[in-house]
Amino acid sequence: MTTLENSPERTAGTRPALLGVSVARKEDERLLRGDGQFTDDVDPARVLYMAVARCPFPHARIVRVDTSAAERLEGVEHVLSGPRVRRLSEPLGVLRPVPGAPKLPYYALAQDVATHEGQPVVSVVATSRHLAEDALELVEVEYEPLPHVVDVLAALEPDAPVLHPSVLESNLLASNSDGRGDPAARFAEADVVVEGRFRIGRVTALPMETRGVVAQWRPGARELTVHCSTQVPHLIRKQLAESLRLRESDVRAIASDVGGGFGLKLGVFPEDVLACLHAMALHRPVKWSEDRGEHFRTSTHARESVHDYRIAADADGRILAMTNVYATDIGGWNSPFGSAQLSSVVFNGPYRVEDGYTERRVTLTNKTPVGAYRGYGQPEVNFAYERLMDQLARRLRMDPVELRAKNMLKPDDLPWVNPTGAVYDSGDYERCLRMAAERIGWAEHRAAPRRPRADGRLVGIGFSSFVERTGYASSRFLAKRGSQFGAHESITLRANRSGGIDAYTGVSAIGQSSETAFAQVVAEVFGTDYDAVKVHAGDTAAAPLNTGSFASRTMIAAAGAIREAAEQLAAKTLRLAAFRLEVQPEELEIAGPVVRHRTEPGVSVPLTEVYRAAITGQGVPPGEDPGLEATSHFEPSDAAYSFGTAAALVSVDPETGEFDVERFVLVHDAGTVVNPKIVDGQVLGALAQGFGAALTEELRYDPETGQLINGSMMDYFPPTAADLPPIELLHTEVPSPVTPFGIRGVGEVGTIPPGAAVANAICEALADHDVELDSLPVTPEKVWRALASDKGVEQW
């Protein structure tokens, strides 16, 4: 890992710079001791427990609901059904609407029709979860099953059953297109065209902590306190206030520790609203914790899409045009974050394309709604264009590395605007490609004879190059798309009498080490010790308004807010110390626990004394206000684009299709690195999820029944540590010109390249068998079927 050199502004002998250093994580002390506070750890006095009855059909009319027997069960305190929820609340808000899509009113309980298996129909609160579950058995619901459709392409056929006929004439929620130039003309004049249909499987984020909520209502104070497992406490507060017809000032959202989010925990879910409605009716705390069965059927899914991708090139391998028309499955409703849109934003990857077109067809099916998930459209489209880059290389008999290098944007080309309007800020894409090829041994592999190893297996190497959008360009950019959140981040820094600085942020701790990174930036800019900074996260009553932790945006935006607030706090600290020491502020510096003279270190004052003077107002110079705190908001001017190349080495049995990933190299650039160990951890964690979606994970629905057939940990297969290949991480460090300190986002990158890199490696190993893979996950069965097809073997 590349580390930062000490800032040239630092005077010799001062404490070392903190940026670029792998300091110990702030979070580890409490988490390793079991002192974290997750939602299920919150147990207020007199708490009641909620359970939810869910539709067992993929599509059904709700004819009759009878809850009388459940209400008579001893221990049952409250029951809600669809009509009552409609009287008491508004539909759930959509934080990121699909442009051009009509509103689909989605209440916390199904109204007349349920559009997916697992949709909530009745909720019950009792003195124990067991009793609440027993009460659900007494609820009588009469359903009229309706025709269903679970395939995203079949859903667009004219004879498909329409999910929302009162709003839409078909299952096409919206179609969004973007592009530049004349792709049709470029395809007409091309020497070679490669194209394919690429299917991406449906997956779920599977965080270690499932969703949960504890709602408490104090009617006299008109205060609703909601502990919830969320990535966006302030947005949860907004949505709950709107759905529950409250003022936003009546709602407090708290997310102290969150056991993973990965995009799944963005926005309000039906159960959050239901728990609040029960608590407000009963004046007692109500708790709900999602079990794994519920998680698989009711938490948002991700990824599923079908991409019809085309690349046109000349005889020398120069890309002339790229197009991608894709159907993305949104499920039965539009969830708070809805359909992935980054497949359109970075559809051309790191390649120079002047003529391009992309069209997203957001499609409704009778399945669990789809939401955000780490990468949010970027792994899907990377699989399509990188598979075609290898096919193009084979068609032209070119080295796939050289074909990529020929078409990659060069450092001098950047900044550059791609055909859909994305502004690539800076980078050295080819350097990452060359480093990956060298580390994996591409030249030696390419020069070696193509023959099986002693074990009969064939060896192949595949590549996947990518760019990744991290953060947002601006709030103006989001406003054009109807997004109900901003691009900025905020922070409050407050000095305390103990000589420390308290940092208050709305960013909840979801495992991304934001507490550590925030403290590093505060200490670096202000000049104090790292241990003197304490970060307080995830409480809307304490933190300034903010956006939340998602889209690899947190450090990009937060670093700017932290820098501004720390500079303001430091400037006032120096003015107060200068008054006390009878010198000028510019003669002083903050060095760990003291403020001292730059040239006479013996002339100093402890920070504790400066802070106490400010807090009490005693010893404050004339014209200076008492107190020592600063709040700052920062919005980046542009998004920052991370980039890199992955290389996979696989061995394949040409008879059975069994394969192993024996080596995996990732060369990645996240700009200026705050904490190398955190970056490595984020990349490795994302790679684990990337390999899951690429090789082992897929939620499967039975087309006949519409039922999810593998909704349990017994038959959904996330990889364990033992399943992951040996991984080698290399990093370059090209600072971004559009972000504070040159930081780029890092949280999602590992999800992007595994699918394409492994598929390309398998196809390269089996090149003599004309095997091409066009769907994720890649399984031995799919490889065997492709081999059997090449051999003319009849398949079962």
Side-chain angles (χ1 to χ4, degrees):
M1 165 67 75
T2 305
T3 57
L4 294 178
E5 296 180 359
N6 287 344
S7 170
E9 286 81 16
R10 288 235 179 265
T11 305
T14 62
R15 64 183 182 83
L18 281 166
L19 296 190
V21 179
S22 296
V23 299
R25 292 202 329 150
K26 291 276 186 183
E27 300 88 340
D28 286 347
E29 179 75 10
R30 71 173 185 278
L31 295 178
L32 294 175
R33 290 180 179 273
D35 285 339
Q37 187 174 66
F38 300 89
T39 300
D40 197 53
D41 294 322
V42 179
D43 277 312
R46 303 176 65 241
V47 67
L48 299 170
Y49 298 87
M50 184 177 85
V52 180
R54 304 178 185 278
C55 180
F57 299 99
H59 198 194
R61 180 169 287 106
I62 301 169
V63 178
R64 181 179 64 88
V65 177
D66 185 352
T67 62
S68 57
E71 292 174 38
R72 290 194 298 270
L73 183 66
E74 185 177 356
V76 170
E77 300 291 332
H78 199 234
V79 178
L80 285 172
S81 59
R84 192 171 182 188
V85 163
R86 185 166 188 151
R87 289 195 301 272
L88 295 172
S89 65
E90 300 298 321
L92 276 64
V94 177
L95 293 170
R96 175 178 279 160
V98 175
K103 290 184 178 180
L104 302 177
Y106 185 29
Y107 287 88
L109 291 177
Q111 299 300 305
D112 300 324
V113 175
T115 59
H116 68 91
E117 177 197 6
Q119 187 172 346
V121 177
V122 173
S123 63
V124 174
V125 165
T127 52
S128 73
R129 176 69 180 253
H130 300 293
L131 268 175
E133 297 279 359
D134 290 344
L136 295 182
E137 298 295 323
L138 301 176
V139 173
E140 295 182 13
V141 183
E142 181 183 345
Y143 294 100
E144 177 190 337
L146 298 172
H148 64 268
V149 60
V150 294
D151 180 80
V152 65
L153 295 183
L156 294 175
E157 294 295 327
D159 59 348
V162 178
L163 273 65
H164 299 280
S166 63
V167 180
L168 294 163
E169 295 180 354
S170 72
N171 292 316
L172 182 64
L173 180 64
S175 178
N176 310 129
S177 60
D178 234 327
R180 181 179 69 202
D182 191 348
R186 301 292 82 75
F187 275 94
E189 67 190 32
D191 294 304
V192 61
V193 172
V194 290
E195 57 189 326
R197 171 167 285 181
F198 300 93
R199 289 181 176 268
I200 313 299
R202 175 177 278 239
V203 298
T204 183
L206 210 70
M208 187 175 292
E209 180 198 24
T210 56
R211 293 185 294 117
V213 58
V214 179
Q216 298 171 268
W217 172 246
R218 294 173 59 209
R222 285 198 62 80
E223 182 178 89
L224 177 67
T225 300
V226 181
H227 293 262
C228 51
S229 185
T230 181
Q231 297 170 238
V232 286
H234 280 284
L235 295 182
I236 286 283
R237 181 191 189 212
K238 166 196 178 311
Q239 287 186 285
L240 286 176
E242 292 170 348
S243 288
L244 299 170
R245 301 167 185 163
L246 297 172
R247 296 174 302 178
E248 202 166 329
S249 54
D250 296 336
V251 182
R252 177 187 182 187
I254 304 172
S256 299
D257 284 306
V258 179
F262 314 122
L264 180 143
K265 296 175 181 177
L266 293 178
V268 160
F269 281 82
E271 295 84 1
D272 302 320
V273 173
L274 293 173
C276 293
L277 288 173
H278 287 299
M280 293 170 73
L282 295 168
H283 300 177
R284 288 181 64 178
V286 172
K287 182 175 185 176
W288 174 76
S289 298
E290 181 184 60
D291 64 36
R292 280 294 171 193
E294 290 177 305
H295 172 81
F296 276 106
R297 289 168 174 80
T298 64
S299 287
T300 53
H301 296 169
R303 297 279 190 259
E304 187 171 9
S305 53
V306 180
H307 297 253
D308 290 324
Y309 206 107
R310 305 176 75 208
I311 300 178
D314 64 20
D316 294 326
R318 184 74 62 186
I319 294 174
L320 303 177
M322 287 179 163
T323 65
N324 183 29
V325 177
Y326 63 104
T328 178
D329 189 339
I330 201 171
W333 293 92
N334 191 15
S335 73
F337 257 65
S339 170
Q341 47 87 29
L342 291 180
S343 289
S344 296
V345 173
V346 295
F347 87 104
N348 60 296
Y351 307 114
R352 173 182 281 279
V353 178
E354 297 298 341
D355 296 78
Y357 174 80
T358 183
E359 180 180 342
R360 175 180 66 156
R361 297 173 177 173
V362 183
T363 308
L364 292 151
T365 64
N366 293 115
K367 291 183 286 191
T368 299
V370 160
Y373 180 40
R374 209 169 186 175
Y376 199 44
Q378 297 174 106
E380 297 95 301
V381 76
N382 176 261
F383 181 73
Y385 68 70
E386 283 298 275
R387 284 292 299 114
L388 285 182
M389 287 298 288
D390 264 31
Q391 291 182 32
L392 180 61
R394 279 193 284 276
R395 285 277 296 275
L396 294 171
R397 300 183 184 277
M398 288 184 66
D399 183 322
V401 169
E402 298 308 320
L403 176 68
R404 285 174 169 82
K406 177 190 285 283
N407 287 284
M408 279 180 170
L409 291 156
K410 309 305 179 189
D412 290 345
D413 295 331
L414 305 173
W416 179 78
V417 182
N418 81 349
T420 57
V423 183
Y424 293 4
D425 55 313
S426 66
D428 192 342
Y429 304 158
E430 185 178 350
R431 181 185 176 200
C432 290
L433 171 66
R434 299 292 183 188
M435 288 173 63
E438 181 180 358
R439 177 60 71 95
I440 203 73
W442 172 247
E444 297 82 359
H445 171 78
R446 187 140 175 105
R450 295 184 62 85
R451 58 171 177 255
R453 295 190 313 202
D455 61 3
R457 288 196 165 204
L458 298 168
V459 175
I461 290 176
F463 296 90
S464 176
S465 297
F466 59 90
V467 293
E468 177 205 4
R469 193 190 78 180
T470 66
Y472 292 107
S474 66
S475 295
R476 294 186 302 278
F477 167 85
L478 292 168
K480 292 178 182 178
R481 288 153 177 78
S483 299
Q484 301 298 299
F485 52 88
H488 70 278
E489 196 48 71
S490 56
I491 196 84
T492 293
L493 301 181
R494 183 178 300 148
N496 62 58
R497 293 178 177 86
S498 301
I501 295 176
D502 293 298
Y504 295 90
T505 172
V507 174
S508 47
I510 62 173
Q512 79 285 47
S513 305
S514 57
E515 292 176 52
T516 296
F518 284 15
Q520 283 185 260
V521 177
V522 171
E524 170 73 17
V525 176
F526 184 84
T528 193
D529 294 329
Y530 169 69
D531 290 339
V533 182
K534 181 162 186 176
V535 178
H536 307 267
D539 186 345
T540 62
L545 283 167
N546 87 317
T547 302
S549 183
F550 59 95
S552 295
R553 60 168 297 279
T554 304
M555 277 309 297
I556 288 175
I562 292 169
R563 181 173 64 183
E564 290 181 1
E567 287 174 347
Q568 293 173 31
L569 203 70
K572 185 171 182 178
T573 299
L574 292 174
R575 294 197 302 272
L576 297 179
F579 177 73
R580 189 178 188 89
L581 295 172
E582 299 182 340
V583 297
Q584 295 301 310
E586 55 269 22
E587 298 177 54
L588 302 177
E589 65 178 0
I590 301 169
V594 302
V595 181
R596 69 186 183 191
H597 199 280
R598 289 181 179 274
T599 59
E600 300 179 53
V603 178
S604 65
V605 58
L607 283 175
T608 51
E609 294 186 20
V610 178
Y611 292 171
R612 287 168 186 164
I615 292 167
T616 61
Q618 301 171 9
V620 173
E624 194 79 64
D625 292 331
L628 191 55
E629 68 177 64
T631 296
S632 182
H633 303 261
F634 177 82
E635 178 180 280
S637 61
D638 294 278
Y641 286 79
S642 295
F643 55 91
T645 292
L649 186 150
V650 305
S651 63
V652 189
D653 187 323
E655 297 298 323
T656 66
E658 292 285 341
F659 63 89
D660 290 304
V661 182
E662 297 187 354
R663 288 181 64 197
F664 191 85
V665 174
L666 177 61
V667 185
H668 170 247
D669 192 293
T672 301
V673 172
V674 174
N675 186 308
K677 191 170 289 295
I678 289 175
V679 168
D680 281 356
Q682 284 288 291
V683 175
L684 289 169
L687 279 171
Q689 291 181 306
F691 276 108
L695 303 179
T696 61
E697 296 182 42
E698 185 178 20
L699 293 167
R700 303 292 298 272
Y701 282 79
D702 186 323
E704 298 299 321
T705 66
Q707 302 290 315
L708 178 64
I709 59 178
N710 63 333
S712 77
M713 296 297 289
M714 292 293 291
D715 43 19
Y716 183 81
F717 304 117
T720 67
D723 298 316
L724 296 174
I727 294 171
E728 302 165 55
L729 293 183
L730 291 81
H731 301 266
T732 64
E733 193 170 52
V734 180
S736 170
V738 300
T739 64
F741 307 105
I743 293 168
R744 304 180 198 274
V746 71
E748 302 170 271
V749 60
T751 64
I752 297 173
V758 172
N760 282 338
I762 293 171
C763 293
E764 200 263 341
L766 300 174
D768 294 338
H769 298 269
D770 294 326
V771 166
E772 297 291 357
L773 300 171
D774 57 11
S775 65
L776 293 179
V778 177
T779 63
E781 179 186 343
K782 288 181 181 177
V783 178
W784 175 82
R785 288 186 180 278
L787 284 163
S789 177
D790 174 62
K791 297 173 184 177
V793 176
E794 184 176 350
Q795 300 180 31
W796 42 269

